[in-house]
Amino acid sequence: TMASQDEIIMAPTVSHYMNLDQGDKVQVMYVWIDGSGEGMRCKTRTVDTEPKSPSELPVWHYDGSSCGHAEGGDSDVYLNPVAIFRDPFRGDPNKLVLCDTEYYDGKLTHTNKRRRCVEAMEKVKDHHPWFGIEQEYVLLDHNKPLCWPNNGFPGPQGPYYCSVGSGRVYGRPIIEAHYRACLFAKIRIAGTNAEVMPSQWEYQIGPSEGIEIGDHLWMSRFILYRIAEEFGVTVTLDPKPVLGNWNGSGAHCNYSTKAMREDGGLKHMHEAIEKLSKRHKEHIRLYDPNGGKDNERRLTGKHETSSIDNFFSGIAHRGASIRIPRPCAVAGKGYLEDRRPSSNCDPYDVSYAIVRTTILDDDWADSN
């Protein structure tokens, strides 16, 4: 019979082998987004020297028919390295590298949203768009939130947000391990906190300019999945993993341009919000990987969300589509928070949509 997860975890520790001398070789783990637009895949190759940039690494390929990207009769899909990070699992000089996925003829896979995001960010680079994404997620144990009763529910929401102590916080060792691993990897992680539902957590990536927000958020997700694997726990980015009177999970996107961050920036923030109000449906379609269907379960107008059918903004209003934080309103400059993106969103799509609407302001609705 197959060994249980606990038996696998209790197998002889791998640390002895990880401390063995690897000579002058370097292990590089190639990481990519699979055909679901949510799952991530990886595999490792040996290279002769420590790469300093993605361009120093060879293009590789994988079986696209096993990842939702191809049919078995023509299954090779190419991995093109685009962002490189230190490897917190194997240590220096080993690397993690995020990859674009494309076919032999240069056509992109349907879940490769990075390329068009790069093109948009190049057009708006003089505006210096900054992004910060608040990634919420839930830890699961056998398809129920970690440490929830087998038959029933914990006490109602209220005491869990930013809390401390047994009975209120579940899974903190995973969160601490993830935080430190991201710092080691040079991912721009800004902070973390326990969220409103028990076993729900959040970390923040940013502020990042341009394409960096997507690269860093995707790799931070990979590291989170990999760490949870070691603990025998599952991470879900489902926006509404538990039905009923429980908060869902989002990926609120904080956004500003250079003009918004300078004196008088509040005027530019309101102008951006006005543009966003006119493209609500287009944004909803891009704010989860299933064209808005996932967010329908979360954006109900309850549990600190706006309604998916309506757009409105407000200062310090957590039920708004777009929130201006109170300190920014008082200062008259700063950033706005788009609260609509789902926890399982593609950050390339989110940041792309925001700059297309607020800066380029062109007719992009038919290009998706």
Side-chain angles (χ1 to χ4, degrees):
T1 60
M2 183 177 294
S4 69
Q5 184 73 16
D6 289 340
E7 289 171 328
I8 294 171
I9 293 171
M10 294 302 292
T13 177
V14 74
S15 62
H16 165 74
Y17 305 101
M18 299 306 292
N19 288 328
L20 295 176
D21 180 20
Q22 65 186 71
D24 59 357
K25 301 299 184 181
V26 178
Q27 292 173 283
V28 179
M29 181 172 283
Y30 283 50
V31 178
W32 68 97
I33 304 159
D34 70 16
S36 69
E38 301 179 64
M40 304 188 77
R41 309 293 180 103
C42 62
K43 64 177 185 173
T44 301
R45 71 181 299 160
T46 303
V47 298
D48 293 330
T49 58
E50 181 180 358
K52 303 299 183 183
S53 72
S55 62
E56 297 176 22
L57 289 166
V59 174
W60 207 7
H61 63 274
Y62 64 98
D63 174 11
S65 67
S66 297
C67 297
H69 279 148
E71 299 296 330
D74 188 9
S75 64
D76 287 346
V77 181
Y78 288 14
L79 291 168
N80 184 26
V82 293
I84 196 166
F85 302 87
R86 295 172 73 193
D87 186 338
F89 305 105
R90 293 168 171 152
D92 293 329
N94 306 297
K95 304 296 181 185
L96 303 176
V97 60
L98 188 66
C99 299
D100 264 353
T101 53
E102 56 188 80
Y103 301 106
Y104 72 94
D105 57 2
K107 181 181 178 182
L108 304 180
T109 63
H110 67 280
T111 55
N112 183 347
K113 305 300 181 66
R114 187 181 189 276
R115 191 74 56 83
R116 70 175 182 182
C117 187
V118 168
E119 293 169 354
M121 293 303 171
E122 178 62 24
K123 292 178 182 178
V124 304
K125 63 182 180 181
D126 291 342
H127 294 266
H128 299 284
W130 289 6
F131 302 90
I133 292 183
E134 306 166 27
Q135 177 67 71
E136 294 179 330
Y137 61 95
V138 175
L139 299 175
L140 299 180
D141 177 24
H142 297 96
N143 296 318
K144 68 176 180 63
L146 184 67
C147 296
W148 280 35
N150 288 326
N151 298 299
F153 298 91
Q157 296 183 156
Y160 308 108
Y161 172 72
C162 292
S163 59
V164 62
S166 297
R168 294 193 173 193
V169 173
Y170 308 114
R172 193 185 296 277
I174 297 171
I175 279 66
E176 293 295 337
H178 176 249
Y179 200 155
R180 189 61 60 90
C182 285
L183 290 173
F184 180 89
K186 301 300 185 183
I187 287 173
R188 200 180 290 272
I189 187 169
T192 189
N193 59 271
E195 265 302 334
V196 176
M197 188 178 82
S199 298
Q200 182 186 46
W201 291 84
E202 172 186 303
Y203 65 90
Q204 303 89 33
I205 296 294
S208 294
E209 185 165 333
I211 197 65
E212 184 184 82
I213 187 62
D215 293 344
H216 283 228
L217 185 62
W218 272 115
M219 190 56 78
S220 73
R221 286 173 174 176
F222 174 80
I223 292 174
L224 179 61
Y225 297 146
R226 177 69 175 74
I227 287 173
E229 173 188 320
E230 294 191 5
F231 282 86
V233 170
T234 301
V235 173
T236 180
L237 300 188
D238 188 279
K240 191 69 174 178
V242 183
L243 298 178
N245 196 27
W246 304 98
N247 274 33
S249 297
H252 303 156
C253 184
N254 301 283
Y255 165 68
S256 67
T257 60
K258 185 173 184 289
M260 294 178 194
R261 296 187 293 271
E262 295 176 342
D263 290 344
L266 189 61
K267 169 180 174 288
H268 297 282
M269 293 158 67
H270 283 300
E271 289 173 353
I273 291 170
E274 177 63 22
K275 292 176 181 178
L276 288 165
S277 71
K278 296 176 180 178
R279 291 275 172 79
H280 178 63
K281 291 183 178 179
E282 289 93 334
H283 281 251
I284 288 295
R285 194 171 71 247
L286 290 179
Y287 280 6
D288 74 49
N290 292 298
K293 294 297 183 182
D294 290 342
N295 246 339
E296 284 180 0
R297 295 180 284 122
R298 168 180 163 260
L299 295 179
T300 62
K302 301 177 181 179
H303 305 111
E304 301 183 50
T305 70
S306 60
S307 168
I308 197 170
D309 297 318
N310 302 310
F311 179 97
F312 85 96
S313 62
I315 296 173
H317 197 312
R318 294 184 183 273
S321 309
I322 306 290
R323 180 179 75 97
I324 297 177
R326 179 68 66 186
C328 296
V330 171
K333 60 184 177 180
Y335 64 93
L336 57 85
E337 178 192 46
D338 190 337
R339 298 178 60 82
R340 296 170 295 174
S342 172
S343 49
N344 62 347
C345 70
D346 187 328
Y348 297 131
D349 268 347
V350 172
S351 55
Y352 164 84
I354 289 174
V355 299
R356 285 296 297 262
T357 293
T358 64
I359 302 178
L360 295 176
D361 196 22
D362 54 0
D363 186 15
W364 59 268
D366 295 331
S367 65
N368 301 303

